[in-house]
Amino acid sequence: MQVEGKVIICDTIDDAGVTILKKAGLIVEYKPDIESDELLMSVKDCDVIIVRSRTKITKKVIDSASIVKIIARVGVGLDNIDTNYAESKGIKILNASEAAMNAVSELVIGHMIALSRNIPKANDGIKNGKWLKKELVGGELRGKYLGIVGVGNIGRNVGRIAKCLRMNLLGYDIYPINQDYVREVGLIKTDLRTLLENSDFVTFHVPLTEKTRHLINSETLSYMKPTAFLINTSRGEIIDEESLFRTLSSKGIAGAALDVFEVEPPTNTNLIQLPNIICSPHIAAQTKEAQELASTVIAEKVIQTLLSNR
Ligand code: NAD
């Protein structure tokens, strides 16, 4: 099916989606490093703007894109797009909501095992000529309680994998959690405080909103067990990093793994240098499979939406 229009791609995306868009007859401008002034000029004659997380689609960009019909995010979180303003102007917002689900879930499990088995310390020790066998007695995931905050696509998938590892699941969400899922994995629904008080691992899968910004702060961290681990692959701003620093420094919790930070790359060196924290550079969705899937899904959704608008 052929479709007319001009698409600008403002961040690096997998080739698969670019090929699909071109094959459908669309003019594609691929500008993965585009910066603000050029962006304002380039979007003027575009029907579609495609971004990942680097490019911010502000009111100013939307006003400049006078004929734009679709803004698409090759990924999940929409916090880099002023969605309210775009939708008020009749612009359709698209995302690839399930494309990153498996990639993120596998990184969460990887971080949980890395935390509980001290893999980074073991690796550093060996590379520095130290045989830390006696010091590095770890814990197992089996039988432990995993608290899932935000039981959406990713949270549910993490729960399914954790169930296979014979963990027990607690879940908190502001919306009702699907009953079939609850039965499938034996999840216990709780409020946030009960989840934090009873979990051995807590993983966050909520979007960044006014309600989730600093959801984890000195008060909520104080509910967690001193033996518990926290894993955040959602958005950095849901954790108050100063409070996390104080809690980790005083051994209020056992450890944390962060893939996302309040400022990226992180500038909070006190926090990231602590011995009981593991960091990764926002790579939860950075797998070949997830990137290809997200790019393909978005290309197909863009074409479908343009066709249905004709
Ligand atoms: P989703 O929309 O399927 O699930 C989010 C869940 O959070 C929903 O069930 C929603 O009801 C719940 N929720 C919303 N506000 C809440 C609140 N205040 N308290 C408790 N629950 C709340 O989204 P998803 O696909 O599971 O992704 C979750 C988040 O993960 C995304 O918003 C994105 O920010 C992040 N993410 C990060 C990466 C990465 O590379 N690190 C990749 C993909 C997604």
Side-chain angles (χ1 to χ4, degrees):
M1 194 76 83
Q2 290 293 290
V3 58
E4 280 178 10
K6 185 169 173 186
V7 180
I8 182 162
I9 301 174
C10 306
D11 293 318
T12 307
I13 72 165
D14 191 273
D15 293 344
V18 183
T19 307
I20 294 172
L21 293 166
K22 285 183 179 165
K23 268 194 186 156
L26 290 159
I27 300 164
V28 179
E29 268 196 38
Y30 188 65
K31 296 191 167 180
D33 302 316
I34 195 164
E35 292 295 346
S36 49
D37 283 348
E38 194 193 349
L39 176 66
L40 289 176
M41 288 303 294
S42 302
V43 295
K44 279 185 190 302
D45 60 346
C46 290
D47 302 275
V48 181
I49 303 174
I50 296 182
V51 296
R52 280 185 66 197
S53 54
R54 185 193 68 97
T55 304
K56 310 286 174 241
I57 302 297
T58 58
K59 273 195 180 101
K60 205 170 163 190
V61 176
I62 294 168
D63 283 337
S64 189
S66 49
I67 63 161
V68 75
K69 299 167 190 71
I70 300 169
I71 299 173
R73 160 86 163 91
V74 181
V76 185
L78 293 169
D79 40 287
N80 56 323
I81 302 171
D82 191 334
T83 50
N84 289 337
Y85 189 61
E87 281 169 346
S88 77
K89 300 195 91 183
I91 298 166
K92 179 101 177 152
I93 305 291
L94 302 176
N95 71 347
S97 48
E98 293 190 19
M101 187 179 78
N102 197 60
V104 179
S105 308
E106 288 186 7
L107 188 80
V108 171
I109 302 293
H111 272 319
M112 283 166 54
I113 296 175
L115 283 167
S116 58
R117 300 304 299 271
N118 301 298
I119 294 173
K121 281 182 203 153
N123 179 58
D124 287 350
I126 293 276
K127 289 186 175 171
N128 290 306
K130 291 183 196 151
W131 188 251
L132 300 173
K133 188 175 168 83
K134 281 188 186 142
E135 290 88 333
L136 297 183
V137 177
E140 298 183 15
L141 301 190
R142 184 184 51 138
K144 300 288 185 339
Y145 278 82
L146 170 64
I148 304 171
V149 179
V151 192
N153 285 320
I154 299 172
R156 283 195 298 273
N157 200 51
V158 169
R160 285 195 176 98
I161 303 174
K163 180 76 187 164
C164 297
L165 295 168
R166 291 187 278 167
M167 297 188 81
N168 302 303
L169 305 179
L170 302 175
Y172 165 68
D173 201 291
I174 43 164
Y175 291 109
I177 303 171
N178 180 286
Q179 267 309 116
D180 289 341
Y181 176 76
V182 167
R183 274 192 292 274
E184 177 195 331
V185 297
L187 177 135
I188 302 166
K189 293 183 274 183
T190 68
D191 56 84
L192 181 62
R193 182 170 181 157
T194 308
L195 181 147
L196 294 172
E197 285 173 347
N198 291 285
S199 296
D200 301 297
F201 294 83
V202 182
T203 183
F204 295 91
H205 302 292
V206 289
L208 176 63
T209 65
E210 277 322 303
K211 278 202 180 127
T212 60
R213 188 180 299 276
H214 287 190
L215 180 71
I216 295 306
N217 50 49
S218 52
E219 187 191 337
T220 44
L221 282 165
S222 75
Y223 302 150
M224 291 178 67
K225 301 198 266 189
T227 50
F229 296 104
L230 170 159
I231 302 99
N232 187 19
T233 57
S234 63
R235 284 292 178 266
E237 295 93 325
I238 72 150
I239 295 180
D240 172 15
E241 288 181 357
E242 274 313 305
S243 301
L244 181 61
F245 170 71
R246 285 195 296 274
T247 303
L248 285 170
S249 307
S250 62
K251 306 263 169 47
I253 65 171
L258 304 181
D259 185 54
V260 287
F261 304 86
E262 288 196 83
V263 176
E264 293 183 3
T267 49
N268 197 342
T269 43
N270 287 343
L271 175 70
I272 60 181
Q273 296 297 345
L274 287 172
N276 49 354
I277 190 166
I278 298 175
C279 302
S280 52
H282 203 146
I283 54 166
Q286 287 282 76
T287 64
K288 178 72 190 134
E289 294 88 341
Q291 291 309 315
E292 191 177 317
L293 185 60
S295 164
T296 307
V297 165
I298 282 301
E300 285 166 356
K301 281 190 182 180
V302 163
I303 294 163
Q304 210 52 49
T305 309
L306 288 173
L307 284 171
S308 61
N309 281 352
R310 281 209 300 212

